[in-house]
Amino acid sequence: KAGQLNRTKIAEGGRKLRKSWGVSWVVLARNSLVFYKEPKGPAPATWCPASSRPESSVDLRGAALDWARHLSSKKNVIHLRTVTGNEFLLQSDHEATIQEWARAIREVIHRLDLE
Ligand code: I3P
């Protein structure tokens, strides 16, 4: 699964960070969520995430996912926490989009729990 989402990192190793929302191309891989920086301005027709270097990636083993009802003034926000204490918010203006992401990420976390 892959697509464009708004995202911000809100904690690193348990330490709160200042929120800074940005747009990322997000790819759900076997064990992780990988973020790619979107090109500024209109994307060239030739741009694709596979040809660019990931900005960062998040290990989903042992991670926890919740709805972020009190963590943002935005709608449709999910809150992802890793075992290492990194925390992210992911948001889409389309409720169905974020619901699909939540379901897909939970499936990966659950599968990794069973391994
Ligand atoms: C933050 C910015 C974020 C907002 C955050 C603000 O201000 O407006 O968009 O988060 O709210 O602190 P700044 O740009 O000055 O850092 P949301 O959009 O998710 O509400 P918060 O402090 O209540 O988290």
Side-chain angles (χ1 to χ4, degrees), residues 48-83:
C48 73
S51 67
S52 63
R53 207 159 47 83
E55 202 180 345
S56 62
S57 87
V58 178
D59 185 1
L60 292 176
R61 194 175 294 274
L65 187 77
D66 292 294
W67 291 96
R69 288 195 182 86
H70 308 293
L71 295 172
S72 175
S73 60
K74 298 182 198 303
K75 288 204 301 184
N76 312 324
V77 185
I78 53 177
H79 176 213
L80 181 65
R81 236 170 334 122
T82 69
V83 281

Side-chain angles (χ1 to χ4, degrees), residues 14-55:
R15 275 190 48 231
K16 285 264 175 286
L17 296 175
R18 182 166 170 192
K19 256 188 205 167
S20 170
W21 286 98
V23 180
S24 287
W25 184 264
V26 185
V27 177
L28 183 59
R30 218 190 102 72
N31 304 326
S32 62
L33 204 59
V34 188
F35 299 118
Y36 295 86
K37 215 179 218 103
E38 293 251 276
K40 288 223 160 42
T46 52
W47 184 83
C48 73
S51 67
S52 63
R53 207 159 47 83
E55 202 180 345

